[in-house]
C-alpha cells in the first residue's frame, strides 16, 4: 500500500500529540477533535482498511482495541463512557487509508451517528 500521513507520524516526520506508544500501537490526538477527548489509535503496521486485515493480524486488532480501552481506564473516563469508531472506505467516511480507531470521550455521544 502507499504511504499515508499516519506513516509520517509513526516515523516522526510530521508532529503529533502522541499520548500512547508500544511496540505495535501508536496513539495521538486528532487534529480536528470531535469531542473533548479525540484520540486515534493506529497499528504501526500499515493496513489500508479493515477489509485488508489478514487473518494473521487478528491479534493485532485485539491489541489495538485493548490499547484504547487501557488508555481510557488510565485517563479516568472508562466508567463514564466513551466511543470507539472505525470508518471503512467511502460510505464509512474513511479519509486516511491506514486503519485507526477513533476514541471519543468527554461528552454525551448520540445515536445514530451522522
Ligand atoms: P477517518 O476520516 O479516516 O476516519 O479519520 C482520519 C482522521 O485523521 C480525521 O479525524 C482527521 O481529523 C485526522 N487527521 C487528518 N490529518 C491529521 C494530521 O495531520 N494529524 C492528526 N493528528 N490527525 C489528522
Amino acid at each position: 500500500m502507499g504511504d499515508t500521513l499516519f506513516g509520517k507520524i509513526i516515523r516522526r516526520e510530521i508532529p503529533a500529540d502522541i499520548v500512547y506508544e508500544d511496540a505495535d500501537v501508536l496513539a495521538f490526538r486528532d487534529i480536528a477533535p470531535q469531542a473533548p477527548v479525540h484520540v486515534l489509535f493506529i497499528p504501526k503496521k500499515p493496513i489500508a482498511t479493515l477489509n485488508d486485515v489478514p487473518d494473521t493480524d487478528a491479534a493485532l486488532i485485539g491489541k489495538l482495541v485493548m490499547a484504547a480501552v487501557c488508555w481510557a481506564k488510565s485517563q479516568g473516563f472508562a466508567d463514564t463512557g466513551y466511543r470507539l469508531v472505525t470508518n471503512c472506505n467511502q460510505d464509512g467516511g474513511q479519509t486516511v487509508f491506514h486503519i485507526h480507531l477513533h476514541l471519543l470521550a468527554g461528552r454525551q455521544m448520540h445515536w445514530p451517528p451522522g
Side-chain angles (χ1 to χ4, degrees):
M1 65 166 280
D3 194 23
T4 68
L5 66 91
F6 288 178
K8 293 180 179 17
I9 289 174
I10 291 167
R11 296 191 301 273
R12 278 31 178 205
E13 292 170 8
I14 60 174
D17 185 357
I18 292 169
V19 300
Y20 174 83
E21 181 170 21
D22 65 28
D24 301 307
V25 174
L26 188 71
F28 51 90
R29 294 190 192 279
D30 197 292
I31 203 167
Q34 302 301 308
V37 178
H38 187 173
V39 171
L40 303 173
F41 284 77
I42 71 172
K44 290 183 176 177
K45 177 177 181 176
I47 301 171
T49 81
L50 276 186
N51 296 336
D52 302 306
V53 179
D55 289 347
T56 49
D57 276 335
L60 178 61
I61 302 306
K63 284 183 180 176
L64 199 60
V65 172
M66 290 314 298
V69 170
C70 289
W71 190 76
K73 289 178 177 175
S74 78
Q75 299 301 298
F77 57 76
D79 287 342
T80 46
Y82 56 91
R83 181 170 289 175
L84 283 181
V85 184
T86 301
N87 300 324
C88 184
N89 277 337
Q90 183 175 339
D91 281 4
Q94 185 174 6
T95 60
V96 178
F97 287 84
H98 179 134
I99 57 171
H100 48 282
L101 299 180
H102 296 258
L103 172 60
L104 299 150
R107 67 168 170 82
Q108 178 64 57
M109 300 297 153
H110 303 289
W111 197 263

